Amino acid sequence: MKKVLFFAISLAILFSCGKSINKNISNNTNFSSYISAYTSGVISKKSVVTVKLTESIDPDKFDISKDLEKEVFSFSPSIKGKTRWVDNRTLEFTPEENLKSNTEYIVNFNLYELKDVPKETDKFVFRFSTIRQDYTFYINGLQTPEIEKREDQTLTGNISFSDITDTTSVRKAISATQDGRELKITITEVSHNTKRFLIEGIKRKKRDDSEIKISFNGKNIGMETDFEEIIKVLSMESFKVTNAEVVN
């Protein structure tokens, strides 16, 4: 029994070693004869990873109309995805899920899987980083949709993100209440990085002022930063100057 256990452990160690990542970044000059371009710098979490070869691949060895089954890309941290040919010189790795925000990735591009190369250039090691996700709230203020119903109010605003964010994630992240009562929120897309929100169901009380609490949970979009804003809603009997203009 001990022998079987030892054998299983040995296999596990061997497997993990086989997947090890070389983190020594390659000198571009040494690979200039094989690689002309690759993903680098700071990229979006929704980006693909690309390597462009200097010469066309041998059509007798590879069918560029199909996904490449050979493991030419290895990542640290690990990324699952598929590799496809964009053309006869360009390979593109598409992650199954979004990359982690604000993270540096080390990539091992196994050049030896594509062509015969000297041992010292069989693996091209490069890196890139993802954008640090951040956001800014812009609140436009309370509005009265129908003048005949002055007790009914809405609130609009925009949320701008540093990186691409989908509308569904934003809707899960934002909430609004008035004195503990949940309010309806509609999210619409202005651009990939900017969303507009509309809060409905806000009520002005007859005598007492009230408050709207807008909360944003950053974890829903891969952040640790949360946001909370309190908006005062004046009662029907309250009077407050919110804007003034001098007229000559």
Side-chain angles (χ1 to χ4, degrees):
M1 188 68 180
K2 290 182 179 179
K3 290 182 179 180
V4 173
L5 180 61
F6 177 78
F7 180 70
I9 293 173
S10 299
L11 278 179
I13 294 172
L14 180 63
F15 180 80
S16 63
C17 290
K19 295 290 184 180
S20 64
I21 299 294
N22 182 351
K23 296 187 177 181
N24 296 317
I25 305 303
S26 299
N27 185 330
N28 293 350
T29 305
N30 297 338
F31 289 83
S32 60
S33 299
Y34 310 109
I35 296 172
S36 62
Y38 58 94
T39 297
S40 61
V42 182
I43 65 173
S44 170
K45 64 183 179 182
K46 290 184 175 291
S47 295
V48 297
V49 180
T50 303
V51 170
K52 192 175 186 69
L53 305 175
T54 55
E55 298 178 350
S56 300
I57 204 69
D58 186 348
D60 294 329
K61 293 182 178 180
F62 298 95
D63 183 355
I64 65 171
S65 66
K66 297 179 180 179
D67 290 344
L68 184 63
E69 294 183 359
K70 291 187 176 183
E71 189 176 353
V72 294
F73 287 99
S74 300
F75 299 86
S76 177
S78 179
I79 307 173
K80 292 182 179 180
K82 291 184 177 181
T83 303
R84 73 179 187 92
W85 291 99
V86 177
D87 55 41
N88 58 8
R89 290 176 53 202
T90 309
L91 276 169
E92 182 179 88
F93 179 88
T94 302
E96 287 183 4
E97 299 178 351
N98 290 343
L99 301 173
K100 295 177 182 179
S101 296
N102 194 31
T103 301
E104 181 183 78
Y105 287 89
I106 303 296
V107 188
N108 284 192
F109 182 72
N110 301 320
L111 191 60
Y112 65 86
E113 294 283 10
L114 304 177
K115 57 172 61 184
D116 294 329
V117 292
K119 177 65 177 177
E120 59 271 18
T121 57
D122 66 352
K123 186 176 292 187
F124 178 59
V125 184
F126 63 99
R127 64 185 166 198
F128 62 84
S129 299
T130 49
I131 297 170
R132 179 182 180 274
Q133 183 65 286
D134 204 352
Y135 59 89
T136 305
F137 260 84
Y138 300 92
I139 296 176
N140 299 328
L142 292 163
Q143 298 173 345
T144 306
E146 299 181 43
I147 195 64
E148 298 83 4
K149 298 179 180 180
R150 294 188 300 115
E151 71 276 12
D152 293 338
Q153 301 278 283
T154 61
L155 183 71
T156 61
N158 288 346
I159 317 173
S160 294
F161 298 91
S162 56
D163 196 7
I164 297 172
T165 304
D166 64 271
T167 302
T168 302
S169 297
V170 175
R171 180 61 193 89
K172 291 179 180 178
I174 189 171
S175 62
T177 58
Q178 183 179 16
D179 293 340
R181 177 174 59 88
E182 189 172 347
L183 299 172
K184 179 184 177 182
I185 303 178
T186 303
I187 306 293
T188 54
E189 186 165 297
V190 179
S191 68
H192 290 312
N193 292 53
T194 302
K195 316 300 175 186
R196 180 179 182 272
F197 63 88
L198 168 66
I199 302 176
E200 300 175 276
I202 303 167
K203 297 290 184 181
R204 294 179 65 189
K205 296 182 179 180
K206 187 174 181 180
R207 293 186 176 86
D208 299 325
D209 294 344
S210 60
E211 291 182 341
I212 301 168
K213 182 171 76 171
I214 304 173
S215 302
F216 192 85
N217 186 344
K219 291 180 181 179
N220 284 281
I221 57 168
M223 296 180 54
E224 297 181 358
T225 307
D226 296 332
F227 170 88
E228 187 173 286
E229 180 77 8
I230 303 296
I231 307 294
K232 188 173 184 179
V233 181
L234 299 177
S235 71
M236 297 293 288
E237 295 182 356
S238 295
F239 176 80
K240 182 180 180 181
V241 177
T242 57
N243 189 26
E245 182 178 353
V246 177
V247 179
N248 294 326

